Amino acid sequence: MDFDAHFRQGLPYQEFLDAYGTDEHRRRWGEVFDRVRLSETQHQLLTGFVREMKVLCLAGVWCGDCVEQCPIFQRFALTAPIIQLRFVDRDADQQLAEELSLCGGKRVPVVVMLSEDGQELSRMGDRTLSKYRRMAADQLGPSCPTGIVPPAQSLLDAVTQDWLDEFERVQLMLRMSPRLRERHGD
């Protein structure tokens, strides 16, 4: 699959929310975005990124997991403009949704990270380890949060760190790539 082509057709954060969301969706996403906190160490890490990263996020504005995680990606992209972030609506792109299905379902959010020249580096979704640990501790059986009640700050902070760990892993993959090191002379 040509993920780079899907990336080029994707929308920036606010355009995605405007195109697919209602005022209530935008309010929920905005509330979580306002609560995403980066420590000084996390901020320094993100601003130290030197390789362009394309981040393609398959999402749905209606999805509670997207409400809780996609604003984190936007905070990262605003902190490190070298991260190019684009969103694709799951229901508007069935081909991408099928390719990125998880556990037999069209789950969201799913993130595909690409190099500057569109090479796939990582796929991750629909929830982070911290979120699954919390769900396992809190309940039995499957659940899909509604996004109506924002996550506890401690969980939001843990999920932010989970995602930052993956962004850092991919950035280091980019930095250590012999192909890209040759291209950039470093």
Side-chain angles (χ1 to χ4, degrees):
M1 170 157 285
D2 184 356
F3 288 118
D4 202 37
H6 289 276
F7 176 86
R8 289 189 303 273
Q9 294 172 357
L11 298 174
Y13 182 83
Q14 193 59 53
E15 289 179 34
F16 174 74
L17 288 175
D18 291 343
Y20 294 100
T22 65
D23 288 342
E24 179 61 17
H25 293 130
R26 286 185 285 279
R27 183 194 68 74
R28 290 177 191 170
W29 284 52
E31 184 176 317
V32 173
F33 176 83
D34 290 342
R35 293 181 48 232
V36 176
R37 304 181 304 206
L38 298 177
S39 69
E40 183 59 32
T41 301
Q42 291 170 325
H43 186 270
Q44 287 176 356
L45 176 68
L46 283 164
T47 59
F49 284 7
V50 298
R51 289 277 193 271
E52 180 182 319
M53 295 172 60
K54 294 179 179 180
V55 178
L56 172 64
C57 182
L58 183 68
V61 294
W62 44 266
C63 169
D65 288 316
C66 295
V67 171
E68 293 179 1
Q69 296 177 78
C70 295
I72 294 169
F73 313 146
Q74 177 67 358
R75 179 67 69 197
F76 291 171
L78 290 175
T79 303
I82 204 155
I83 297 171
Q84 297 181 31
L85 178 61
R86 295 293 181 274
F87 291 87
V88 173
D89 181 74
R90 182 197 74 180
D91 297 333
D93 191 333
Q94 291 300 312
Q95 179 188 22
L96 186 62
E98 187 65 36
E99 176 68 25
L100 296 178
S101 66
L102 298 170
C103 198
K106 294 178 183 174
R107 313 275 298 264
V108 285
V110 179
V111 171
V112 179
M113 296 187 195
L114 307 168
S115 64
E116 63 195 47
D117 55 356
Q119 298 297 310
E120 182 180 355
L121 303 167
S122 171
R123 294 183 198 195
M124 186 171 162
D126 60 336
R127 297 174 178 127
T128 70
L129 180 58
S130 292
K131 177 68 175 187
Y132 273 116
R133 283 177 176 157
R134 177 66 55 95
M135 288 174 66
D138 290 347
Q139 63 194 2
L140 297 174
S143 171
C144 182
T146 62
I148 294 171
V149 178
Q153 189 65 47
S154 61
L155 179 58
L156 181 60
D157 292 346
V159 170
T160 298
Q161 185 61 55
D162 287 344
W163 277 110
L164 184 56
D165 289 344
E166 182 63 9
F167 275 65
E168 179 185 14
R169 187 185 77 80
V170 169
Q171 180 63 201
L172 291 172
M173 185 187 309
L174 290 166
R175 290 298 313 273
M176 301 308 298
S177 165
R179 178 179 63 82
L180 294 175
R181 291 187 78 185
E182 183 176 328
R183 175 183 285 175
H184 292 284
D186 63 2

